[in-house]
Amino acid sequence: MALVPGSEASEPIEHLFTVSPGVLAGIRAFVGRLAEEAGLTDRERDRIVLVTHELSANAIEHGATDMISVRWEDTDQGVWITVSDQGVFEVGVTLGDRGRGLRIVLALADEVTIRPGRRGDQGTVVRLRVPVRASVPAVLPRILLVDGDRFSGRSLSSFLDAEGYPTVVTGSAQAGRDESASPPRLAIVDLMTSNGLTVQLCDDLTRAGVPVLAMSILPPPANLRSSRFLRKPVHPLEVLAAVRLLTEPSGAASEVRRA
């Protein structure tokens, strides 16, 4: 179980990963398993997985490293995650994708410290704390998220929840239809879910007055009805910007998109 205030910290667990095509999936599985063993809730686990994924992806893409070390510490202050690499990280020029990834980390974690690797002194270390909050009574969801990709859906849900937009995640068009019996404030729908049956779900939600943010790796179909469409892959911050627009009183009443 996760530690509570006053209990002793568990022994840190550290694993060294060789950079390869499947290394990010391995890192996600590593911290996900530790979170489950610690008895964390799904949302806390997803938050930790997303933060660690972003840090590791940043190291691979911008640090030119061959190895990544991930260290897990479960304490009475929360879970501490340390990601170390052999690369160079210039904190003062965090622009573009690198800066956006760091903003995601800062939004989801507390007490982030960075020891940047520099030329001649390679080896970047990022340490952060993800607080483990007490469970709270369930509330009606503000956002319905329909996505057949379990990791993608839960990661986006965790990010939006940390930004103040509680979500409920479903993995099929039918499950999304069932959850929309009590109309959500907004629906985010991946059009590839359930072999495209979500296109009809978008139509039904729109007719019911629910703003719909549709997403897909393919161009939007001609019969799509939605408030906005985003082409995947899409950064979580772009989704957040669309969510803020569509949940504002003026944004929710925006013109429905017809291809």
Side-chain angles (χ1 to χ4, degrees):
M1 295 296 292
L3 296 177
V4 296
S7 62
E8 296 182 357
S10 61
E11 289 295 324
I13 300 174
E14 187 170 5
H15 189 83
L16 190 63
F17 294 86
T18 301
V19 173
S20 65
V23 66
L24 290 177
I27 291 173
R28 293 196 301 267
F30 171 68
V31 294
R33 174 179 58 81
L34 292 175
E36 288 185 2
E37 292 176 356
L40 304 186
T41 66
D42 286 348
R43 287 200 179 278
E44 298 299 342
R45 179 192 63 201
D46 294 341
R47 181 176 291 113
I48 289 171
V49 169
L50 178 57
V51 164
T52 311
H53 170 92
E54 288 291 334
L55 290 178
S56 302
N58 190 76
I60 293 171
E61 294 172 10
H62 304 289
T65 184
D66 296 324
M67 305 293 293
I68 295 177
S69 171
V70 179
R71 179 184 175 93
W72 165 286
E73 300 171 76
D74 192 356
T75 75
D76 59 0
Q77 297 176 322
V79 174
W80 289 89
I81 298 291
T82 305
V83 175
S84 310
D85 61 57
Q86 303 166 337
V88 173
F89 183 74
E90 300 293 344
V91 177
V93 292
T94 53
L95 302 175
D97 290 339
R98 186 189 312 185
R100 289 187 296 180
L102 185 58
R103 290 189 197 105
I104 291 176
V105 171
L106 293 174
L108 296 178
D110 292 344
E111 300 185 44
V112 180
T113 60
I114 302 175
R115 191 201 72 189
R118 303 185 186 279
R119 301 191 185 283
D121 183 22
Q122 294 184 334
T124 297
V125 179
V126 181
R127 187 169 188 260
L128 53 83
R129 179 173 62 88
V130 180
V132 179
R133 301 177 178 87
S135 60
V136 296
V139 296
L140 291 177
R142 294 173 62 191
I143 295 178
L144 169 64
L145 175 56
V146 183
D147 192 335
D149 185 321
R150 184 170 178 266
F151 173 72
S152 174
R154 288 194 169 182
S155 295
L156 181 57
S157 171
S158 179
F159 176 76
L160 292 175
D161 182 66
E163 290 293 326
Y165 295 94
T167 66
V168 60
V169 185
T170 64
S172 70
Q174 184 56 53
R177 192 177 302 281
D178 293 342
E179 286 290 345
S180 63
S182 297
R185 184 177 182 185
L186 169 72
I188 303 175
V189 181
D190 186 319
L191 299 180
M192 302 299 290
T193 302
S194 299
N195 296 318
L197 293 178
T198 43
V199 173
Q200 182 60 50
L201 176 62
C202 289
D203 186 76
D204 294 342
L205 288 168
T206 300
R207 292 180 186 278
V210 176
V212 175
L213 171 59
M215 301 190 297
S216 177
I217 60 173
L218 299 177
N223 61 337
L224 175 66
R225 289 172 57 92
S226 67
S227 302
R228 189 166 183 187
F229 175 83
L230 292 177
R231 183 78 176 267
K232 283 188 159 185
V234 58
H235 198 279
L237 286 173
E238 295 181 64
V239 178
L240 177 61
V243 167
R244 285 174 173 166
L245 176 65
L246 294 175
T247 52
E248 291 292 326
S250 58
S254 61
E255 182 180 356
V256 173
R257 182 196 184 284
R258 285 181 179 271

